[in-house]
Amino acid sequence: MKPSVISALCLGLLSATAAKAAETGSQAFSTSRIAQTAGQYGHYIGSDVRSMDPLGSLGGNAGYNNTGSGNIGAFNSGTGNVGAFNGNNNTSSTSGNHNIGAFNGNGNTGEYDGNANVGAFNGNFNGGSFNGNSNVGAFNGNFNGRGNR
């Protein structure tokens, strides 16, 4: 074979290899760019989630139609009630707090009434102070101290 033919073949082979390398390189660049962009958006989203206070706009409540703070469930008021219909319609902020269950710590007119009950229908409608607290079960600590009605 003539040296010029060999040179032409080598030059053609080198050109084809270089073209293929350039194509592969651009694909690799494109793929790494996509991964980098996706990672960047993932970082942004993660930062947003970490900086959020998901319950902040709800006053620290989770559930449905809760007021007060730190309540979980539905229709709870006061502070730290878990369940449903706890801590509603109390005249003192020291009443109807930290109940677990349903219908606990409602309708108290005294202070420190209807707190820390577990179960159902505990610590309701007390008129004095320190009534209807820390009951476990059902229908405990209701209608105490109603003297001045």
Side-chain angles (χ1 to χ4, degrees):
M1 235 186 227
K2 293 186 180 179
S4 61
V5 173
I6 293 174
S7 297
L9 285 173
C10 288
L11 184 59
L13 183 61
L14 284 173
S15 297
T17 304
K20 187 66 176 169
E23 181 183 338
T24 304
S26 66
Q27 286 173 347
F29 174 78
S30 296
T31 304
S32 67
R33 185 67 181 152
I34 291 167
Q36 180 184 1
T37 303
Q40 188 175 18
Y41 282 118
H43 175 72
Y44 291 153
I45 292 166
S47 297
D48 289 343
V49 170
R50 281 192 300 274
S51 67
M52 282 170 46
D53 178 5
L55 301 178
S57 63
L58 304 174
N61 296 306
Y64 179 74
N65 203 20
N66 295 311
T67 59
S69 62
N71 297 300
I72 299 172
F75 301 101
N76 298 305
S77 292
T79 303
N81 293 298
V82 178
F85 300 100
N86 298 307
N88 298 299
N89 299 317
N90 295 297
T91 58
S92 171
S93 61
T94 60
S95 295
N97 302 307
H98 310 295
N99 296 293
I100 300 173
F103 299 101
N104 297 309
N106 301 300
N108 296 293
T109 57
E111 296 184 350
Y112 303 100
D113 292 331
N115 298 309
N117 295 293
V118 178
F121 300 101
N122 297 310
N124 300 301
F125 305 107
N126 295 294
S129 295
F130 301 97
N131 292 309
N133 298 310
S134 304
N135 295 292
V136 177
F139 299 101
N140 298 305
N142 302 306
F143 300 103
N144 294 297
R146 305 253 340 200
N148 299 317
R149 194 166 178 188

